[in-house]
């Protein structure tokens, strides 16, 4: 199967397997329409039916710009297109001598729908720009809708080109209203760029945002967890579609479900009768694999589960010092290849599944292939995210693998996904629910750990469960982590994390592939400035429901760039957490 075929097939996968995409959202969900003969309802219904699933429709948007009040009948937020403000006028509409009239007989009166919607659209853009939202600079147009009036296609006016007018014919046609909106935005829209997914979220917050209480935040966190579990399971259908592919490279951003798919692929190949090795690099993720697979029926458990390094050691390789990079990067990988050549066929594998494969160095891959019973045709399933290259190596998988791209974030709320997504070159669609604002505690890096401790205490006072909270450092490890490892060793340390009974203290480098509902990220420096951006991306993306960023905000924004700065403008400044 070619790359083009895979891309086309996955593009249609949702329809083929019954996957439910998010429907058009309406705010409010059930609008109260005026007694205007059904004109606003007719246009609203046409938009909801004709717009793509990711679009948003707002009804009855009220604006206050200084002393001036405005109302927009309908606002459309269309990702990758732009924003449209629509003024709807029902009944009989005519234009004579440059003047608009509505009604007939004694009820005939002058109206000015174009000036009305123009002024409201300009006010909307100005208010959004004042808030620092991306939507304020996105391409925006206005339209007038006469859903009870047929207007000739040849009609035109200087103040209202025909492309900016929706008539009865458009409402009655299969997609005419959406086509008018799209054409008006693309041809007449004012703004610098099309609307992106993050800007849509900001627009929803600005127009429909409320004042969530802490109890509501906790309830929404539970709702988000439930939805996350279901969406992640749905991802496994990708493996159904690619069941005959023996060599696969699955690339996706943080929270796209790669680890779940790696586990599921290892389980499926084992259940099919193959001898499988499920491998990763970090201790925490390796322990997670061991715990999860231990709960599976015996016939579904892979033959080997754990760290890449432990595989050669289990076959008799000599140990080395933790502080000797030559041993881990060169000697041990080469030793694995030699040992594999000496093993009986029954000890080798039919397939290998590698998660967080961006962590593997160049020398590891040839040796890993030697662990296959058929190095030329054995199963190789690789899952990776290039944005998380936090270790000082740039290994590439030297194999021809069928590429599969995951372009949705399932794990994090929209607010979190938009922040760390700004650090990635790939466009990832946030699929999580709305959640609490990201919080920022602006302190020097030298004070980040102490301030992070204060943040944890404040979160516990807000009644977040201790087992939901993780404090992660980017530089020097937290003293609590050092103590726990020294007292109980790594196995007990990670088992305490998975027990989720208390606050977890960890480091970004060891937390790859893992997550918690609430993460306090202490940005207390980085060992390698060349990988500071990747460290931030990895740390910011570990939270599912609430993210608290503690550190030098100016430095964080300099490393993250303009996109991160814009996202953090929407964050809650958490000045007093003690």
């Amino acid at each position: 199967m070619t790359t083009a075929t895979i891309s086309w097939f996955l593009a249609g996968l949702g329809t083929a397997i019954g996957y439910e995409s998010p429907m058009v959202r309406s705010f409010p969900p059930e609008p109260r329409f005026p007694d205007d003969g059904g004109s606003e309802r007719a246009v609203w219904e046409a938009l909801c039916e004709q717009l793509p699933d990711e679009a948003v429709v707002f009804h009855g948007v009220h604006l206050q710009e200084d002393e001036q009040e405005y109302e927009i009948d309908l606002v459309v937020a269309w990702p990758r297109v732009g924003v449209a403000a629509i003024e709807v006028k029902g009944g009989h509409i005519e234009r004579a001598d440059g003047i608009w009239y509505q009604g007939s007989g004694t009820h005939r009166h002058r109206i000015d729908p174009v000036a009305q919607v123009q002024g409201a659209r300009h006010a909307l853009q100005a208010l959004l720009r004042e808030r620092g939202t991306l939507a304020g600079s996105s391409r925006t147009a206005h339209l007038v809708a006469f859903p009870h009036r047929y207007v000739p296609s040849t009609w035109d006016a200087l103040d209202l080109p025909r492309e900016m007018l929706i008539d009865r014919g458009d409402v009655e046609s299969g997609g005419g209203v959406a086509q008018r909106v799209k054409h008006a935005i693309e041809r007449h829209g004012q703004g610098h760029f099309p609307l992106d997914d993050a800007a849509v979220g900001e627009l929803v917050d600005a127009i429909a945002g409320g004042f969530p209480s802490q109890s509501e935040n906790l309830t929404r966190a539970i709702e988000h967890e439930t939805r996350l579990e279901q969406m992640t399971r749905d991802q496994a259908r990708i493996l159904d579609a690619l069941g005959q592919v023996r060599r696969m490279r699955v690339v996706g951003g943080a929270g796209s479900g790669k680890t779940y798919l790696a586990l599921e692929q290892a389980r499926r190949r084992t259940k099919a009768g193959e001898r499988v090795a499920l491998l990763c690099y970090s201790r925490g993720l390796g322990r997670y694999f061991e715990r999860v697979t231990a709960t599976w029926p015996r016939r579904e458990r892979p033959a080997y589960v754990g760290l890449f390094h432990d595989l050669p050691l289990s076959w008799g390789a000599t140990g080395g010092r933790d502080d000797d990079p030559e041993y881990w990067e060169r000697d041990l990988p080469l030793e694995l290849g030699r040992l594999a050549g000496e093993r009986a066929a029954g000890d080798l594998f039919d397939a290998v599944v590698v998660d967080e494969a961006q962590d593997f160095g160049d020398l590891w891959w040839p040796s890993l292939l030697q662990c296959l019973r058929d190095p030329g045709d054995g199963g190789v399933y690789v899952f990776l995210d290039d944005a998380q290259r936090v270790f000082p190596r740039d290994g590439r998988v030297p194999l021809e693998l069928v590429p599969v791209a995951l372009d949705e974030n399932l794990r994090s709320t929209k607010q979190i996904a938009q922040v760390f997504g700004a650090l990635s070159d790939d466009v990832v669609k946030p699929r999580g629910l709305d959640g609490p604002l990201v919080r920022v505690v602006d302190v020097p890096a030298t004070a980040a750990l102490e301030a992070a401790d204060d943040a944890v205490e404040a979160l516990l006072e807000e009644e977040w469960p201790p087992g939901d909270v993780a404090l992660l450092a980017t530089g020097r490890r937290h003293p609590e982590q050092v103590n726990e490892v020294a007292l109980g060793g790594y196995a007990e340390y990670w088992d305490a994390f998975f027990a989720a009974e208390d606050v977890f203290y960890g480091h970004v480098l060891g937390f790859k592939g893992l997550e918690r509902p609430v993460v306090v990220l202490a940005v207390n420096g980085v060992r390698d400035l060349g990988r500071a951006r990747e460290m931030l991306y990895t740390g910011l993306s570990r939270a599912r429901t609430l993210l608290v960023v503690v550190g030098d905000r100016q430095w964080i924004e300099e490393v993250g760039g303009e996109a991160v700065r814009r996202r953090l403008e929407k964050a809650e400044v958490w000045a007093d957490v003690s």
Side-chain angles (χ1 to χ4, degrees):
M1 190 177 290
T2 66
T3 301
T5 303
I6 288 292
S7 300
W8 170 85
F9 185 72
L10 288 178
L13 184 59
T15 302
I17 63 180
Y19 183 83
E20 294 186 3
S21 299
M23 301 301 291
V24 173
R25 289 184 292 162
S26 173
F27 293 93
E30 297 180 3
R32 295 183 178 180
F33 297 101
D35 184 13
D36 62 352
S39 59
E40 288 186 18
R41 176 183 288 276
V43 180
W44 177 83
E45 289 179 345
L47 289 168
C48 290
E49 292 172 0
Q50 297 172 18
L51 289 170
D53 291 342
E54 65 268 24
V56 181
V57 180
F58 304 88
H59 175 264
V61 177
H62 294 269
L63 307 174
Q64 184 74 47
E65 186 183 33
D66 297 326
E67 74 280 359
Q68 186 68 42
E69 298 177 358
Y70 301 90
E71 180 182 0
I72 307 177
D73 292 330
L74 295 164
V75 174
V76 173
W78 192 333
R80 292 169 296 284
V81 178
V83 179
I86 306 174
E87 175 65 26
V88 182
K89 296 297 183 184
H92 179 70
I93 305 293
E94 63 177 328
R95 180 180 168 110
D97 300 325
I99 300 173
W100 293 97
Y101 295 92
Q102 184 180 33
S104 58
T106 59
H107 297 289
R108 185 173 185 258
H109 59 279
R110 289 179 62 166
I111 58 174
D112 196 348
V114 178
Q116 187 176 348
V117 73
Q118 276 182 333
R121 189 257 295 171
H122 286 304
L124 175 63
Q125 288 181 286
L127 290 170
L128 291 173
R129 283 194 295 268
E130 285 180 12
R131 286 169 167 256
T133 65
L134 298 177
S137 301
S138 298
R139 197 163 50 196
T140 304
H142 61 267
L143 298 92
V144 173
F146 303 143
H148 297 155
R149 182 78 159 84
Y150 291 99
V151 178
S153 60
T154 56
W155 182 89
D156 194 47
L158 293 179
D159 61 339
L160 186 65
R162 184 63 180 87
E163 300 98 329
M164 302 175 73
L165 190 156
I166 297 168
D167 76 341
R168 182 66 184 171
D170 295 321
V171 173
E172 292 177 340
S173 66
V177 175
Q179 290 175 2
R180 289 286 186 201
V181 169
K182 187 172 188 292
H183 189 70
I185 295 172
E186 293 180 339
R187 183 167 182 180
H188 302 286
Q190 298 180 12
H192 301 297
F193 43 78
L195 197 71
D196 65 11
D197 292 319
V200 171
E202 293 175 344
L203 187 59
V204 171
D205 289 342
I207 294 179
F211 301 95
S213 65
Q214 180 57 21
S215 61
E216 182 181 351
N217 283 337
L218 296 174
T219 301
R220 289 164 69 182
I222 296 172
E223 181 184 2
H224 178 71
E225 293 293 312
T226 303
R227 185 169 183 265
L228 165 64
E229 184 178 344
Q230 181 59 53
M231 288 194 300
T232 304
R233 284 200 300 266
D234 288 344
Q235 282 276 47
R237 296 175 180 176
I238 293 174
L239 301 180
D240 294 337
L242 300 170
Q244 302 306 310
V245 176
R246 292 295 289 166
R247 299 207 163 180
M248 186 191 311
R249 180 177 183 268
V250 180
V251 181
S256 58
K258 298 184 303 299
T259 293
Y260 176 84
L261 289 179
L263 277 163
E264 181 64 11
Q265 184 69 343
R267 186 188 67 81
R268 292 184 179 202
R269 299 321 314 162
T270 302
K271 188 176 181 179
E274 297 183 13
R275 183 174 165 82
V276 177
L278 173 61
L279 303 150
C280 66
Y281 176 80
S282 64
R283 288 189 178 97
L285 185 57
R287 185 59 179 153
Y288 174 67
F289 283 166
E290 291 172 354
R291 291 173 62 94
V292 171
T293 56
T295 66
W296 294 349
R298 189 171 298 277
R299 64 189 184 91
E300 298 178 7
R301 298 178 196 170
Y304 177 82
V305 178
L307 303 182
F308 170 85
H309 303 98
D310 288 344
L311 179 58
L313 292 174
S314 69
W315 282 351
T318 56
R321 300 194 318 274
D322 286 345
D323 60 351
D324 182 6
E326 184 75 5
Y327 170 79
W328 300 104
E329 300 294 335
R330 180 182 182 280
D331 297 346
L332 195 57
L334 294 178
E335 185 76 353
L336 174 62
R338 183 187 66 78
L339 291 170
E342 299 174 355
R343 305 297 292 187
D347 293 334
L348 301 179
F349 305 101
D350 299 301
V352 293
V353 179
V354 181
D355 193 25
E356 299 292 349
Q358 73 277 356
D359 294 341
F360 280 39
D362 289 334
L363 290 178
W364 304 8
W365 293 103
S367 295
L368 193 57
L369 290 179
Q370 294 303 309
C371 297
L372 291 170
R373 289 171 176 169
D374 184 352
D377 197 40
V380 179
Y381 306 98
V382 172
F383 299 80
L384 72 155
D385 177 7
D386 282 330
Q388 295 190 65
R389 291 184 178 275
V390 297
F391 294 105
R393 64 177 72 93
D394 293 301
R396 295 288 186 270
V397 186
L399 303 171
E400 289 294 326
L401 305 175
V402 172
V404 178
L406 306 178
D407 63 354
E408 295 180 328
N409 176 276
L410 311 180
R411 177 172 66 206
S412 304
T413 62
K414 286 184 171 65
Q415 286 78 0
I416 297 170
Q418 288 166 1
V419 170
F420 74 75
L423 285 157
S424 174
D425 294 331
D426 298 322
V427 177
V428 178
K429 304 170 187 174
R431 286 285 310 280
L433 298 175
D434 286 322
L437 293 176
V438 172
R439 304 181 188 182
V440 176
V441 181
D442 188 4
V443 296
T446 53
L449 282 183
E450 182 179 354
D453 284 333
D454 292 338
V456 168
E457 290 301 319
L459 291 168
L460 298 181
E461 290 177 4
E462 291 180 5
E463 299 184 358
W464 289 97
D468 282 2
V469 180
L471 189 161
L472 303 180
T474 62
R476 177 173 55 87
R477 284 169 167 75
H478 193 284
E480 191 65 27
Q481 178 188 7
V482 176
N483 292 338
E484 290 178 8
V485 173
L487 289 173
Y490 279 106
E492 186 174 320
Y493 168 74
W494 284 110
D495 283 345
F497 166 74
F498 294 113
E501 296 175 350
D502 203 351
V503 176
F504 178 79
Y505 296 86
H507 195 278
V508 170
L509 290 177
F511 210 70
K512 289 160 50 57
L514 303 175
E515 62 214 42
R516 268 211 170 166
V518 182
V519 167
V520 178
L521 180 65
V523 185
N524 60 331
V526 293
R527 299 176 185 176
D528 182 356
L529 286 175
R531 297 187 184 274
R533 189 177 177 88
E534 289 83 355
M535 287 284 288
L536 277 181
Y537 172 88
T538 303
L540 295 170
S541 63
R542 299 304 96 194
R544 296 198 296 264
T545 301
L546 175 62
L547 171 65
V548 181
V549 185
V550 184
D552 185 339
R553 179 169 184 160
Q554 181 177 351
W555 184 86
I556 293 169
E557 292 178 352
E558 287 175 356
V559 171
E562 178 63 17
V564 170
R565 186 193 66 77
R566 289 183 179 179
R567 299 303 189 274
L568 290 182
E569 282 183 346
K570 296 290 292 179
E572 174 186 349
V573 177
W574 212 16
D576 183 11
V577 297
S578 58

